[in-house]
C-alpha cells in the first residue's frame, strides 16, 4: 500500500480518503498501530478529513491490543471530529468498553457502558458479559447481575456459561449464602430465551441503567 502511495505522489496524483484508509488498515494489519496513527495525522495535515472508518480502524486496533487508554483517546477524537455515525459509534463503544473490562477497570468499563446505553448505541452481548465478568473478578455480584438484567432488557440472550454468565453470577451469590438471588439469576438465562422467541418489533433502547 505504501509503495502504491509513493507512486501516486511521484505521478502528481493527490491521495484521497480511500487511499489513506487503505494505508491505515495495512499498518494495523502489520501490527504497526503507531504508523496507522501517523497516516491519520498526515491526512488531516493535507486537509483530508478522516471518516468513521479511519478512526474506528485505529480504535479497534488499540482495543484489541488491550491498550484501553489509547483506544479511549481515539474514540474521543472520533466524537470530537463529528465523523461518527450510529454504526461506528456502536462499534467503538463495544470495542473500548471490552478493552477496559479486560484491563480489570470496571469503573471505566461500566461508565462507558452506561454512556453507550444512554446514547442508544447497539451494545452487544460480549460487551455486557465482559463488564459482568470484570465485576465478578472484583467481587461485585450486584453490578454483574445488573449487567445481565440490562442485557435481558435489551433483548439479548443472557448466557448461562462463561466468566460473566448467569451461572457465574449465581455462584457468587450462592457463596454469599443468598440462594434465592442465585436462583433468580439462573432464571434470567431461561427467561430471556423464552422471551426472545415471543418478542416482536424493534428493541427498546431507552431507560436502562447499570
Amino acid at each position: 500500500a505504501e509503495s502504491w502511495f509513493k507512486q501516486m505522489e511521484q505521478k502528481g496524483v493527490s491521495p484521497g480518503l480511500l487511499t489513506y484508509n487503505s494505508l491505515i488498515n495495512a499498518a494495523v494489519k502489520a501490527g504497526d498501530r503507531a504508523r496507522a496513527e501517523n497516516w491519520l495525522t498526515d491526512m488531516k495535515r493535507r486537509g483530508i478529513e478522516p471518516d468513521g472508518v479511519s478512526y474506528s480502524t485505529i480504535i479497534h486496533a488499540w482495543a484489541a491490543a488491550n491498550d484501553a487508554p489509547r483506544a479511549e483517546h481515539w474514540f474521543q477524537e472520533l466524537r470530537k471530529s463529528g465523523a461518527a455515525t450510529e454504526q461506528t459509534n456502536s462499534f467503538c463503544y463495544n470495542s473500548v468498553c471490552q478493552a477496559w473490562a479486560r484491563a480489570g477497570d470496571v469503573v471505566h468499563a461500566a461508565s462507558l457502558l452506561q454512556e453507550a446505553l444512554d446514547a442508544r448505541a447497539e451494545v452487544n452481548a460480549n460487551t455486557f458479559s465482559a463488564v459482568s465478568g470484570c465485576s465478578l473478578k472484583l467481587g461485585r455480584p450486584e453490578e454483574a447481575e445488573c449487567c445481565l438484567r440490562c442485557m435481558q432488557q435489551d433483548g439479548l440472550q443472557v448466557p448461562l456459561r462463561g466468566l460473566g454468565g448467569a451461572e457465574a453470577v449465581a455462584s457468587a451469590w450462592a457463596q454469599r449464602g443468598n440462594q434465592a438471588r442465585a436462583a433468580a439469576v439462573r432464571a434470567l438465562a431461561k427467561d430471556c430465551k423464552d422471551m426472545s422467541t415471543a418478542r416482536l418489533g424493534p428493541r427498546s433502547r431507552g431507560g436502562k441503567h447499570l
Side-chain angles (χ1 to χ4, degrees):
E2 290 192 27
S3 60
W4 174 44
F5 178 80
K6 290 177 181 178
Q7 290 176 22
M8 288 179 63
E9 287 195 312
Q10 290 169 359
K11 293 178 181 179
V13 179
S14 299
L17 176 63
L18 292 179
T19 299
Y20 272 104
N21 280 349
S22 295
L23 290 166
I24 290 169
N25 188 57
V28 165
K29 285 186 175 180
D32 195 341
R33 294 173 292 278
R35 190 158 187 78
E37 290 182 345
N38 288 339
W39 283 123
L40 191 145
T41 300
D42 187 64
M43 68 189 292
K44 292 172 70 175
R45 181 181 61 81
R46 292 174 182 248
I48 302 169
E49 288 300 319
D51 65 358
V53 174
S54 315
Y55 284 102
S56 63
T57 302
I58 292 174
I59 291 164
H60 182 66
W62 284 115
N66 294 322
D67 192 329
R70 198 65 186 160
E72 176 90 25
H73 164 77
W74 283 105
F75 189 24
Q76 296 296 340
E77 290 297 309
L78 166 62
R79 290 189 284 186
K80 285 192 294 184
S81 74
T85 64
E86 184 176 336
Q87 183 177 6
T88 55
N89 242 349
S90 295
F91 175 78
C92 293
Y93 267 123
N94 284 294
S95 292
V96 181
C97 191
Q98 289 178 40
W100 281 119
R102 288 194 299 271
D105 193 331
V106 73
V107 173
H108 271 99
S111 176
L112 197 60
L113 175 55
Q114 185 61 65
E115 187 180 314
L117 294 173
D118 291 341
R120 300 192 175 188
E122 196 75 20
V123 181
N124 63 42
N126 288 337
T127 298
F128 281 113
S129 295
V131 178
S132 174
C134 181
S135 298
L136 280 183
K137 283 183 177 180
L138 297 176
R140 302 178 180 181
E142 298 91 346
E143 295 175 19
E145 180 182 341
C146 187
C147 283
L148 298 187
R149 293 194 180 280
C150 283
M151 188 188 302
Q152 182 190 51
Q153 291 170 23
D154 215 30
L156 297 170
Q157 174 63 49
V158 175
L160 180 62
R161 308 297 178 189
L163 180 61
E167 186 59 44
V169 179
S171 295
W173 281 122
Q175 289 172 9
R176 293 190 176 193
N178 195 332
Q179 299 297 336
R181 198 153 180 180
V185 171
R186 288 190 178 98
L188 279 176
K190 180 180 183 302
D191 290 346
C192 192
K193 184 176 181 179
D194 293 342
M195 289 170 62
S196 66
T197 59
R199 185 178 286 107
L200 298 175
R203 293 189 293 175
S204 171
R205 303 208 52 80
K208 294 181 290 298
H209 296 282
L210 293 176

